[in-house]
Amino acid sequence: RDVELIDEKESIDIPELENFLCKYFTKNNFNFVPSIGKKNSKVLLIGNKLGDEEILEKSPYVGNNKILLEKMLNAIDLDINDVYKLNIDNSCDYRLDFNDILSKYLEFLEPQFIINMSKRDINSILATKLNNNFFSVNIPDPSLLIKNPSLKRVAWENLKKLRLKLIDSK
């Protein structure tokens, strides 16, 4: 099986991983958008499902989603360019485990802070991979906030918690 090939490799870097994922997703009629950002970013953003604009432009967070995300990050004095953006949520099916893929990314990324915008509970995988050496917040994805503005209060409260941790880390 294709999926087992990725597990057999002891070490795989992000370009190799994304090359594998792109081929796998294309073969299985999934959309894949590569991650973007500096690999040494202190902040990792794990996105939710891709929208039509992201798929078309082959980039996570474009259009209105990017505008709202930038505003959210700017509100806590964080530049979108200082965040590593990973959007693999919609691509994982029963043959390809989301936690396994996230683990592979985390072998090369060493974030101190994680913004989880996916609907997945990532705390167990993060605890084992990063030995609890991180601060993580769950925030609704910009596309969900646009559709359901009542979620903005939850997002803002969690962003404020992240902002305090970012300030403390300086």
Side-chain angles (χ1 to χ4, degrees):
R1 286 181 26 188
D2 291 337
V3 177
E4 292 169 352
L5 293 176
I6 201 165
D7 292 329
E8 291 173 6
K9 291 188 176 187
E10 285 184 28
S11 182
I12 182 171
D13 64 17
I14 290 177
E16 285 179 298
L17 175 60
E18 292 197 339
N19 184 44
F20 165 82
L21 292 172
C22 184
K23 287 178 183 176
Y24 175 84
F25 295 144
T26 301
K27 179 179 171 184
N28 290 286
N29 295 317
F30 289 111
N31 294 303
F32 177 73
V33 170
S35 58
I36 57 173
K38 300 174 199 160
K39 291 179 180 80
N40 63 346
S41 294
K42 288 184 358 179
V43 181
L44 168 65
L45 185 145
I46 301 170
N48 198 26
K49 299 200 180 296
L50 297 169
D52 292 338
E53 288 181 277
E54 285 87 3
I55 293 166
L56 184 64
E57 293 194 32
K58 298 278 188 222
S59 179
Y61 296 103
V62 297
N64 289 334
N65 290 339
K66 182 177 181 181
I67 291 168
L68 181 54
L69 180 60
E70 284 179 322
K71 287 179 182 179
M72 292 166 63
L73 297 175
N74 287 337
I76 61 167
D77 300 320
L78 191 59
D79 187 303
I80 194 168
N81 297 314
D82 294 332
V83 174
Y84 191 88
K85 292 163 284 306
L86 175 61
N87 201 325
I88 57 170
D89 191 272
N90 74 316
S91 309
C92 298
D93 66 350
Y94 68 94
R95 294 166 289 183
L96 196 60
D97 184 80
F98 176 86
N99 289 344
D100 289 344
I101 298 301
L102 180 56
S103 291
K104 290 291 184 187
Y105 276 98
L106 291 174
E107 287 178 18
F108 296 96
L109 303 172
E110 296 179 3
Q112 295 173 13
F113 307 96
I114 298 173
I115 302 170
N116 180 23
M117 292 188 163
S118 78
K119 292 180 181 178
R120 298 174 187 263
D121 178 13
I122 62 167
N123 289 326
S124 61
I125 188 69
L126 295 178
T128 58
K129 273 297 177 199
L130 300 173
N131 299 320
N132 292 320
N133 196 17
F134 64 92
F135 180 77
S136 147
V137 293
N138 294 320
I139 298 171
D141 193 76
S143 62
L144 296 174
L145 292 171
I146 290 168
K147 292 176 188 169
N148 190 351
S150 66
L151 296 173
K152 287 183 180 179
R153 179 173 301 278
V154 171
W156 179 236
E157 292 303 318
N158 285 340
L159 283 170
K160 288 191 300 187
K161 291 175 189 173
L162 177 60
R163 181 178 182 203
L164 290 174
K165 292 293 186 177
L166 287 167
I167 290 169
D168 288 345
S169 75
K170 291 183 180 179

